[in-house]
Amino acid sequence: MIKENISQVLENIKTACEKSGRNPEEVTLVAVSKTKPVAMLKQAYEAGSRDFGENKVQEIMDKYPQLPSDIRWHMIGHLQRNKVKYIIEHAALIHSVDSLRLAEEISRQAEKKQIHANILVEVNIAQEESKFGIFREEAIQLVENISKLPWISVKGLMTIAPFVTNPEDNRKYFRGIRELSVDIMHKNIDNVTMSTLSMGMTGDYMVAVEEGATIVRVGTGIFGERNYPL
């Protein structure tokens, strides 16, 4: 079932790309594997997935040694500064940077390990109180401040759009993120590219792709409903 689900998601991405005149190869599917057992991740891997997204540092730490080394792990959940040291060597991309203090800690830990950290700045585009991320008007200043740090590069933006029943309701938010990325790109800030837009989840990723997403984060659409521990 997982293999079939991945095939369907990839086909949907292709359809969305065709509708918007994009190349499907521009879009990376991240299989959001939070709370899912390693056996299910192995099925996704065997079906061709190489990018996996986790919300918690501990889950990456637990799963990393049990799975092939060519997997690219994406830290998509809120990251506490005291957990950065555990994730810095394992995360190919940290999606959820929403403060200068967190970026400074990532920079420090990257220097200790002598590795370069790639991050996205998380923008709370809908300004929902329940979500992390900075507001749109704060984003350019934060990106400029992070750009001055060594051992870290801003590769783009990430957002978690509101939960909606009609995906079209989120189009304005995805468009807003794309417009913000263009504004930042035009500033030609050193150590900053806006090549990555991580937006769109199971319920709305096709609309996100139509609006310029280069990464979509799909969990339920691949693995089924999540099982949360009691």
Side-chain angles (χ1 to χ4, degrees):
M1 183 62 73
I2 289 175
K3 181 178 181 179
E4 289 79 4
N5 289 347
I6 290 172
S7 295
Q8 184 61 60
V9 173
L10 291 173
E11 188 61 34
N12 290 344
I13 290 172
K14 182 180 177 182
T15 298
C17 284
E18 289 172 351
K19 184 176 178 181
S20 53
R22 299 183 63 198
N23 183 343
E25 292 182 4
E26 297 173 6
V27 183
T28 297
L29 171 60
V30 171
V32 177
S33 46
K34 59 184 180 180
T35 78
K36 293 302 180 183
V38 167
M40 294 184 79
L41 275 70
K42 286 180 177 177
Q43 289 182 52
Y45 181 90
E46 289 164 5
S49 290
R50 293 297 180 270
D51 293 87
F52 290 84
E54 292 287 345
N55 264 36
K56 296 183 183 299
V57 168
Q58 189 59 51
E59 282 210 63
I60 293 181
M61 298 302 296
D62 290 345
K63 292 172 179 176
Y64 180 87
Q66 302 182 63
L67 288 155
S69 60
D70 62 337
I71 285 176
R72 293 177 292 272
W73 294 96
H74 296 250
M75 181 62 199
I76 62 175
H78 181 63
L79 180 57
Q80 296 171 302
R81 293 195 308 280
N82 64 350
K83 298 286 183 68
V84 171
K85 60 188 174 185
Y86 302 115
I87 201 72
I88 195 68
E89 289 183 282
H90 302 315
L93 185 63
I94 300 173
H95 292 228
S96 48
V97 177
D98 60 0
S99 73
L100 182 59
R101 291 180 72 194
L102 174 57
E104 287 170 342
E105 182 61 22
I106 292 170
S107 176
R108 276 193 293 271
Q109 295 299 332
E111 182 175 16
K112 284 183 181 179
K113 299 291 186 180
Q114 295 288 293
I115 58 175
H116 200 87
N118 294 319
I119 69 155
L120 305 179
V121 168
E122 182 175 0
V123 180
N124 184 350
I125 192 70
Q127 299 191 357
E128 294 182 278
E129 290 185 6
S130 62
K131 291 202 172 90
F132 293 103
I134 58 166
F135 290 169
R136 178 174 181 161
E137 56 269 22
E138 303 168 315
I140 293 177
Q141 184 65 60
L142 178 58
V143 169
E144 288 177 337
N145 290 338
I146 294 174
S147 74
K148 300 178 177 70
L149 299 173
W151 300 95
I152 185 172
S153 292
V154 180
K155 295 298 184 182
L157 305 175
M158 182 269 246
T159 198
I160 301 174
F163 177 78
V164 293
T165 53
N166 181 2
E168 285 295 329
D169 292 344
N170 279 338
R171 187 178 294 276
K172 61 186 176 184
Y173 298 122
F174 298 140
R175 186 170 294 162
I177 289 291
R178 177 166 52 84
E179 291 169 350
L180 176 59
S181 75
V182 171
D183 290 344
I184 294 171
M185 185 174 60
H186 284 164
K187 289 187 172 290
N188 293 315
I189 306 168
D190 288 343
N191 203 28
V192 173
T193 65
M194 284 288 121
S195 58
T196 302
L197 295 182
S198 172
M199 57 189 195
M201 295 162 55
T202 294
D204 55 19
Y205 66 87
M206 292 183 72
V207 172
V209 168
E210 290 171 16
E211 292 300 331
T214 65
I215 290 178
V216 294
R217 311 178 306 270
V218 179
T220 304
I222 292 175
F223 297 106
E225 294 295 331
R226 290 193 297 275
N227 300 314
Y228 289 107
L230 297 175

